[in-house]
Amino acid sequence: MLRGTGNAPSSRDGQSGGAGTIPALREEEAEAQALVPPAAMERFRMGYAGEEAEASSGCDQQARQQARHYQLLSDLQALVKDLPSSSQQRLSYTILSDLALALIDGTVFDIVQGLLEIQHLTEKNLYNQRLKLHHEHRVLKQEMLHKHKEAQQCCKPHNMSLLKAAQQKELEAMEQRIHEEQHMMDEKIVLELDQKVIDQQSTLEKAGVSGFYVTTNTQELTLQMNLLELIQKLQQKESLPRRPFP
């Protein structure tokens, strides 16, 4: 039953009873609105406004990313001109565009920087190991020559030829041992550096950098080295420290 119908004019007064329902409907609408808590209405309004703001923010973000991608691609195309013509031919627009896309947020710059630091530390460590081995070999040889000299000073003349022959054989054996140890060290250095290359290829592939995957193909390695060179030059061009792209 509608509220307020008791105050409506009677049909006995010559007016229609339906006219009295209009104020009642308005009262019922107000009552229905009163049932919705003001906080809920406010959240609804704020949520709607938030969706609009989020959509606008998303468009701005996309526009900034597109501008960033275009700028990086343009810089890469300019840097490629400094490479040999054979390398320029392999660095297609698609490869450069994909590389620019991977560089947008700056993460790849940090990854490459970290990989290069690890490589430099590895090279320095291996160099120091080889230097240490070379020093040890030189000390051993000097000690042997000193011992031979003392032996010759104490040797009787008629035994000198036999002594020198024995010492020469001992010296040749030591030189052979030194040669083998140096060869083993060089092989170890090559293997460790090759492993670092594999680690770099795998890391950059996982980071989504176009052109990087584990390979020993000479042409592909040259391409990857060119890509690394471009990344480094572009990083220098942007003058570190960089502000992260939002």
Side-chain angles (χ1 to χ4, degrees), residues 130 133-134 137 175-191:
R130 197 179 192 284
L133 181 64
H134 177 72
H137 289 161
E175 289 178 342
Q176 179 63 27
R177 172 190 162 193
I178 288 174
H179 176 75
E180 290 175 355
E181 290 182 356
Q182 287 179 340
H183 181 69
M184 290 174 62
M185 173 60 72
D186 291 341
E187 284 187 336
K188 175 188 175 183
I189 290 174
V190 170
L191 288 174

Side-chain angles (χ1 to χ4, degrees), residues 68 71-72 74-76 78-79 109 229-240 242:
R68 174 71 169 159
Q71 182 60 52
L72 289 169
S74 178
D75 291 341
L76 287 171
L79 291 172
F109 285 124
E229 182 181 350
L230 291 176
I231 293 172
Q232 287 180 270
K233 286 184 176 180
L234 189 55
Q235 188 176 26
Q236 293 171 358
K237 185 177 183 297
E238 296 206 335
S239 300
L240 292 177
R242 296 171 296 96

Side-chain angles (χ1 to χ4, degrees), residues 96-110:
L96 294 178
S97 179
D98 290 343
L99 178 59
L101 195 61
L103 296 173
I104 284 180
D105 66 355
T107 303
V108 173
F109 285 124
D110 297 333

Side-chain angles (χ1 to χ4, degrees), residues 11-235:
S11 58
R12 288 176 297 181
D13 296 329
Q15 296 179 0
S16 171
T21 63
I22 294 176
L25 285 172
R26 288 174 180 171
E27 289 180 12
E28 192 167 75
E29 288 176 1
E31 183 178 279
Q33 291 180 358
L35 293 176
V36 180
M41 290 295 295
E42 184 64 20
R43 283 197 298 271
F44 173 77
R45 295 190 188 99
M46 291 178 64
Y48 182 74
E51 289 178 359
E52 287 187 326
E54 184 176 350
S56 176
S57 175
C59 291
D60 293 342
Q61 175 82 359
Q62 184 176 4
R64 288 196 299 271
Q65 287 184 343
Q66 288 177 346
R68 174 71 169 159
H69 178 248
Y70 176 80
Q71 182 60 52
L72 289 169
L73 177 57
S74 178
D75 291 341
L76 287 171
Q77 289 174 323
L79 291 172
V80 164
K81 295 178 182 179
D82 296 332
L83 297 175
S85 57
S86 57
S87 297
Q88 293 183 31
Q89 294 173 1
R90 295 212 59 196
L91 292 168
S92 65
Y93 176 88
T94 300
I95 291 177
L96 294 178
S97 179
D98 290 343
L99 178 59
L101 195 61
L103 296 173
I104 284 180
D105 66 355
T107 303
V108 173
F109 285 124
D110 297 333
I111 291 174
V112 169
Q113 185 65 28
L115 290 173
L116 290 175
E117 289 175 0
I118 293 172
Q119 178 180 326
H120 293 156
L121 288 173
T122 302
E123 290 174 349
K124 183 178 180 180
N125 182 47
L126 293 171
Y127 172 78
N128 289 334
Q129 288 182 33
R130 197 179 192 284
L131 196 63
K132 180 182 177 182
L133 181 64
H134 177 72
H135 175 72
E136 291 173 351
H137 289 161
R138 186 174 60 182
V139 170
L140 286 173
K141 191 171 182 179
Q142 287 176 348
E143 289 177 348
M144 178 174 285
L145 291 173
H146 181 71
K147 185 180 72 172
H148 287 177
K149 185 176 181 180
E150 288 182 340
Q152 290 175 14
Q153 291 174 348
C154 300
C155 181
K156 294 180 180 181
H158 63 277
N159 292 328
M160 185 62 70
S161 60
L162 293 174
L163 177 63
K164 287 185 176 181
Q167 289 177 341
Q168 181 63 28
K169 184 178 290 188
E170 185 180 21
L171 184 60
E172 290 175 355
M174 172 172 280
E175 289 178 342
Q176 179 63 27
R177 172 190 162 193
I178 288 174
H179 176 75
E180 290 175 355
E181 290 182 356
Q182 287 179 340
H183 181 69
M184 290 174 62
M185 173 60 72
D186 291 341
E187 284 187 336
K188 175 188 175 183
I189 290 174
V190 170
L191 288 174
E192 288 203 29
L193 292 178
D194 284 347
Q195 184 59 50
K196 288 304 172 189
V197 171
I198 293 173
D199 292 343
Q200 291 174 355
Q201 292 172 331
S202 177
T203 300
L204 291 171
E205 180 183 16
K206 290 176 182 177
V209 184
S210 177
F212 283 92
Y213 61 96
V214 177
T215 179
T216 56
N217 182 278
T218 304
Q219 291 184 342
E220 295 303 311
L221 287 173
T222 301
L223 175 63
Q224 292 177 356
M225 290 173 63
N226 288 332
L227 290 173
L228 278 176
E229 182 181 350
L230 291 176
I231 293 172
Q232 287 180 270
K233 286 184 176 180
L234 189 55
Q235 188 176 26

